[in-house]
Structure formats: C-alpha cells, structure tokens
Amino acid sequence: MKAIQMTEVKKLHVIDAPMPVCGSDEVLLKIMAVGVCGSDIPRILKFGSHVLPIIPGHEFAGEVVEVGKDVEGWVSGDHATAAPLIPCNECEWCKKGIYSLCEGYKYYGSRNDGAYAQYLAVKAANLVKLDPATPFDWGATIDPAANALHAFYRAEAVPEDTLTVFGLGAIGLFAIQYAKALGMKEIIAVDIQDDKLEVARQCGATYTVNSKKEDAVKALMDHTGGKGTTITFDMSGSPIAQEQAVLAAGKMGRVVFLGISHAPLTLSDKAVDNILRYQLAIMGSWNSFSNPFPGKEWTEAARLMDEKKMNPDLLISHKLPLEELPGIFEKIDQRAIEFNKIMFYPNGPLE
Ligand SMILES: [Zn+2]
Ligand SMILES: [Zn+2]
C-alpha cells in the first residue's frame, strides 16, 4: 500500500509499505480521508516523533474491510472514525476512566504507525461508527471536534452560558459550532486573522473581534455591558490571549486553557484580582477522552455531524491526494501556504 513515512525531522517520503496485519482485536480500515492536525506540524517539522521511522496521521475515517476474530459489533462495509489514543487500561488514570491522562498510552501516528496511508489496522475499542451518509472527510475531523467538546465538559457548560473563544484553529471553530448547537445565545470569537473571523461567523459566532486591530477585552466588555462571558476558552496557546481569557470571564466564570504555549504566563494585577473577586475557575483541557472509552466527546461529535448540526466543510481548506503530503509540509515549513484543515484522500477523491 501507499503510505507517507517520516524518517527524521522534515523528512517525509512516499513509500510502498506492507499491508497492515489485522489483529484479533482490530479491524482493518481502508483510509478514505485523513487530516493534518495542528500537532502534526511541530511533530514533523520541529520535534520529531516518539518513534522513527513512523507513518504519521491520527485524524482519519474510512471503511471497515476486515474484522478481527474477537471483534463484535463491526462488519465489513461499516464506516468509522477512530480515537488515536490506545490507553494502557492499567494505570490509575485509566482505572478512573480519565484516559486523557493515561501514563502508558500508545498513539496512532506518533507512537504507532498512523493513517497517512491507504490502510490502518485499528483497535476495535477505538472505533466510532459513522452514518454512511456522513462524508469520510467529516469523520476525519471528529478528533478536533471531540477536543472542543472535551473543553465544554471540563467547563460543565449549559445552554444558558455565554462563551468567548480565543484562537480559531479547527478546535476553536468547532467550539463555536458546538456552542451554537447547544443553544448558547452569545458566542464571541477572537483571532488575529479576518478570514478566520469570517469563518467563525459562518460557524455561529454572534460577535467577532480582531485582537490585532483592537483591544479584545475592551471590545468584548463594551459588547457585553461589562459582564464578560461565563465561559472563556483559550485555544490559541498565546500568553496574551491566555491573560485576555482570564480578563474576559465574568463572575463565577470558567476559564479553560487548551492551546499549548510552551511559554511562561504573566498576569496583570487586574487579572489576578478577578480570579479572586469573581471566583473564577481556571482549568486545563487535555485531549478528548472520557469513560466509557473513547467517550461522549467522540460519540456526541459523530452524532452532531451525522445530524448535520456541525459542518466541517467550513473548516476544510485543502483537498489533496496523499502523494502531495510531503510537498505541503515543505510549504508549511516555508510559510508559503495559508490553510485551515488540510485533508488527504489516500484511496482517491470521495464520490
Ligand atoms: Zn489531532
Ligand atoms: Zn493508562
């Protein structure tokens, strides 16, 4: 089969790889669509992978073509996406059902071969069924959508909440779509790119702020009559936005950090004061899993896509054959491409 192999940082090759062998607890998935995750970019261009050489790629969907002998509930022809984490099921966090914090996990596309390939053998426990009418490239975006939903569950969001999202990558845009699907009336989007703010409005944002052009906190406080929003998400990983997320939260607000910054954070005296006086809860959100594995993040995101209540088409900026993947990463490295979700089709374009 055709696959993309990474041998070292920035070195991607189109290879002819052996067909994966389907284990007794696995299904063989014919990969119909696989997306580039934000995390694939530093993995491939900067830090390298946990294991080398490796076939990267962990946001995928496809068709079941073979079913392992111990697998129940799946037949050839089923459509599925899969959670990329393979939990150890033995550590204290797995035993508590908090799989995002597993201490002995494996991971498709970073510790195990992934889906930048025509086929992948996947643990049946990781599979999430897709309606046959749901496009495979929608299914391949359930990973970032599930990451967005996990942040809402961390914040214990209810429809009466109001929301500000800082950072409009795929997870931020799905957060806006999910807030709308939940029925939230005030959904504020903040980014430094006007085109992303435009997509955010299409996704359901009720008010948008370009924080490069204006003071985001002042703008959204003016807009909300000084109340801020009851939930704020930082999905950018920018320390500036992290502080703004604290300042934008109203009384009893929940502030969720999801974007990775790799940087220190300094908070102004006003921000520190607000944490106390407004009784803010500041929390982290990591990955997308809950009990029973892979969790309601995955099943709920799949249901919303099956019911057309989330629309990944608004996020997919490129649709390409798998062979073009090494060239695309070169362009990303040279900052020669503007993109949102880049999608590859290892078995040809979708019908
Ligand atoms: Zn991902
Ligand atoms: Zn574990």
Side-chain angles (χ1 to χ4, degrees):
M1 65 163 186
K2 203 183 321 165
I4 306 293
Q5 189 182 56
M6 174 187 185
T7 50
E8 55 184 288
V9 171
K10 298 192 188 192
K11 291 275 188 298
L12 294 170
H13 315 272
V14 182
I15 63 161
D16 187 13
M19 276 294 282
V21 177
C22 179
S24 60
D25 62 345
E26 294 177 323
V27 305
L28 186 64
L29 209 56
K30 182 179 183 184
I31 304 298
M32 300 305 291
V34 56
V36 175
C37 174
S39 73
D40 288 332
I41 295 169
R43 180 172 299 121
I44 290 170
L45 297 177
K46 203 166 167 192
F47 300 117
S49 190
H50 290 278
V51 176
L52 286 172
I54 194 166
I55 299 171
H58 64 261
E59 298 185 354
F60 57 94
E63 187 181 329
V64 175
V65 293
E66 193 185 330
V67 180
K69 68 173 171 51
D70 297 336
V71 173
E72 285 171 19
W74 291 90
V75 295
S76 286
D78 281 344
H79 293 195
T81 183
L85 178 95
I86 307 166
C88 76
N89 289 316
E90 283 169 12
C91 72
E92 77 172 282
W93 297 103
C94 282
K95 284 185 177 149
K96 286 180 185 164
I98 304 175
Y99 300 102
S100 287
L101 304 187
C102 172
E103 291 172 347
Y105 64 91
K106 295 182 174 176
Y107 213 88
Y108 293 113
S110 73
R111 293 164 192 252
N112 296 48
D113 278 337
Y116 287 167
Q118 287 186 293
Y119 294 87
L120 180 66
V122 182
K123 300 277 182 207
N126 287 50
L127 296 176
V128 177
K129 211 160 269 186
L130 295 174
D131 188 292
T134 299
F136 287 109
D137 48 11
W138 285 32
T141 66
I142 289 178
D143 176 305
N147 273 270
L149 267 60
H150 191 67
F152 285 87
Y153 297 144
R154 291 285 296 136
E156 298 180 359
V158 293
E160 293 70 31
D161 276 311
T162 55
L163 175 69
T164 305
V165 179
F166 292 85
L168 301 174
I171 297 173
L173 291 168
F174 275 132
I176 289 165
Q177 293 194 9
Y178 184 64
K180 185 182 176 191
L182 258 186
M184 286 190 192
K185 299 281 184 292
E186 181 79 273
I187 308 166
I188 299 173
V190 182
D191 200 277
I192 55 173
Q193 281 177 251
D194 282 328
D195 53 343
K196 293 207 167 159
L197 294 169
E198 172 55 36
V199 179
R201 287 189 286 274
Q202 293 166 16
C203 288
T206 53
Y207 182 70
T208 59
V209 183
N210 184 326
S211 55
K212 214 170 193 172
K213 295 180 181 165
E214 55 184 324
D215 179 336
V217 174
K218 182 175 185 308
L220 74 90
M221 283 299 170
D222 287 349
H223 177 73
T224 57
K227 288 173 96 170
T229 57
T230 59
I231 297 177
T232 63
F233 287 160
D234 175 60
M235 296 188 162
S236 72
S238 149
I240 296 168
Q242 287 173 332
E243 190 196 16
Q244 289 174 335
V246 175
L247 289 167
K251 291 177 179 173
M252 297 300 285
R254 286 87 81 206
V255 181
V256 183
F257 285 4
L258 183 149
I260 299 169
S261 76
H262 292 301
L265 173 62
T266 307
L267 295 176
S268 63
D269 49 356
K270 170 87 169 108
V272 175
D273 220 36
N274 282 9
I275 294 171
L276 283 65
R277 288 174 184 272
Y278 290 0
Q279 300 203 125
L280 302 183
I282 300 181
M283 62 193 88
S285 181
W286 187 247
N287 228 320
S288 57
F289 311 106
S290 60
N291 203 17
F293 186 78
K296 60 187 192 289
E297 291 86 343
W298 286 77
T299 50
E300 186 66 0
R303 182 184 70 80
L304 289 164
M305 286 190 197
D306 286 345
E307 293 176 2
K308 310 272 184 281
K309 288 178 180 149
M310 292 177 92
N311 181 0
D313 283 341
L314 296 171
L315 282 64
I316 299 171
S317 58
H318 294 72
K319 298 186 175 193
L320 299 164
L322 188 66
E323 299 81 352
E324 291 190 29
L325 196 146
I328 288 293
F329 271 86
E330 251 170 60
K331 282 190 185 158
I332 293 171
D333 194 29
Q334 295 157 0
R335 296 178 181 271
I337 179 172
E338 291 267 333
F339 60 94
N340 205 330
K341 185 57 73 185
I342 303 174
M343 197 61 70
F344 294 97
Y345 302 85
N347 284 288
L350 302 182
E351 278 160 24

